[in-house]
Amino acid sequence: MSTKIDIKPKTILIVEDNPMLQVGLRHALSAQPAFQVVGQAQDGLQAMSAAVELKPDIALVDIELPGMDGITLTQRIKEILPNTQVIIFTHYTNRTKVMAALTSGANGYCVKGVSIPQLEAAITAVAEGNFYLDAKIAECLLQNLRQPLPDGEELEEVKLTPREMQVLQRLVEGKSNTEIGLELRISANTIKGHVQQIIHKLKASDRTQAAVKALRLGLV
């Protein structure tokens, strides 16, 4: 006699400030047995509270949100809830926004306007531990990486220490100071100091811009 194995559906938190789109997403995803929409939020602060309370498997996050933007929200979710996978779901396709999202620790990037089956495929891929990148975004990144540096942005020599290079590589991968510290077996405060030096040497304003510039200059 065979035993039926019930597969627990993946829980999803929808973070979207457009009420109509939010309802549409909830209706479409709830229709799939593999998914269970457990919550929704219209701003970043509300979303953070919901994420901490619900601990969803997947957070579907827009970038432009009131209260706290989606990039910052993603960083905080990944720091507090490392088992929650985040998919950025947005209209933005420019390289800066994409790189900001990826360096924030997002597990996937999906452009609004995709079909429901495509969105479901993205959620399934991320839920299985894979990374998902929308085909349009992948092509956009490849085109930008092939382009020469803009006028005034010279391929300058950036002298980083071996340790700073180790930190930079992980920073580009979207890892938090705590995660980098655990990997390199040094304190998060020490990592913070290295990140500040990297930002200074790359003449960047923050860690996201530093990661983008490091990729642009071919440092990693």
Side-chain angles (χ1 to χ4, degrees):
M1 181 176 178
S2 62
T3 302
K4 182 180 179 180
I5 300 176
D6 293 325
I7 300 176
K8 185 179 178 181
K10 295 298 182 182
T11 56
I12 300 173
L13 171 65
I14 298 172
V15 186
E16 170 60 56
D17 64 344
N18 183 321
M20 292 184 65
L21 181 55
Q22 188 184 97
V23 171
L25 287 170
R26 185 182 188 105
H27 177 76
L29 296 177
S30 296
Q32 302 301 314
F35 306 140
Q36 179 186 3
V37 178
V38 294
Q40 52 195 40
Q42 294 186 357
D43 67 69
L45 295 175
Q46 181 186 32
M48 192 67 241
S49 297
V52 171
E53 178 184 354
L54 300 170
K55 297 179 175 59
D57 296 313
I58 306 287
L60 195 60
V61 177
D62 191 8
I63 286 183
E64 289 297 325
L65 295 168
M68 181 194 303
D69 66 85
I71 303 299
T72 303
L73 174 62
T74 298
Q75 291 173 331
R76 296 199 180 170
I77 287 177
K78 297 306 291 185
E79 287 179 356
I80 299 173
L81 303 168
N83 292 327
T84 294
Q85 310 301 306
V86 179
I87 297 177
I88 296 295
F89 188 57
T90 181
H91 287 298
Y92 288 106
T93 58
N94 69 75
R95 185 173 186 270
T96 301
K97 289 289 186 182
V98 174
M99 289 309 307
L102 300 186
T103 56
S104 72
N107 305 94
Y109 198 107
C110 197
V111 179
K112 289 180 179 178
V114 298
S115 67
I116 292 301
Q118 285 177 300
L119 178 58
E120 292 169 357
I123 295 173
T124 299
V126 169
E128 292 175 350
N130 300 312
F131 185 82
Y132 183 88
L133 190 62
D134 190 290
K136 294 179 182 177
I137 297 302
E139 180 61 26
C140 175
L141 287 177
L142 285 173
Q143 289 177 352
N144 275 277
L145 287 171
R146 294 188 192 111
Q147 292 175 358
L149 294 170
D151 292 340
E153 186 179 348
E154 299 177 356
L155 188 58
E156 60 209 73
E157 182 180 2
V158 179
K159 294 182 179 179
L160 299 179
T161 66
R163 178 66 84 187
E164 287 169 351
M165 286 299 298
Q166 291 178 324
V167 173
L168 178 61
Q169 177 64 55
R170 289 159 176 80
L171 188 153
V172 169
E173 292 171 358
K175 295 179 179 177
S176 67
N177 290 350
T178 300
E179 291 173 322
I180 298 173
L182 288 173
E183 285 193 13
L184 299 181
R185 297 183 180 181
I186 53 182
S187 72
N189 282 334
T190 300
I191 295 297
K192 183 178 179 180
H194 286 311
V195 171
Q196 290 173 340
Q197 280 299 308
I198 291 169
I199 290 172
H200 173 72
K201 290 181 179 181
L202 287 173
K203 299 177 183 178
S205 60
D206 54 36
R207 62 192 292 136
T208 297
Q209 190 182 91
V212 172
K213 191 167 186 179
L215 286 169
R216 190 71 171 175
L217 297 176
L219 296 177
V220 292

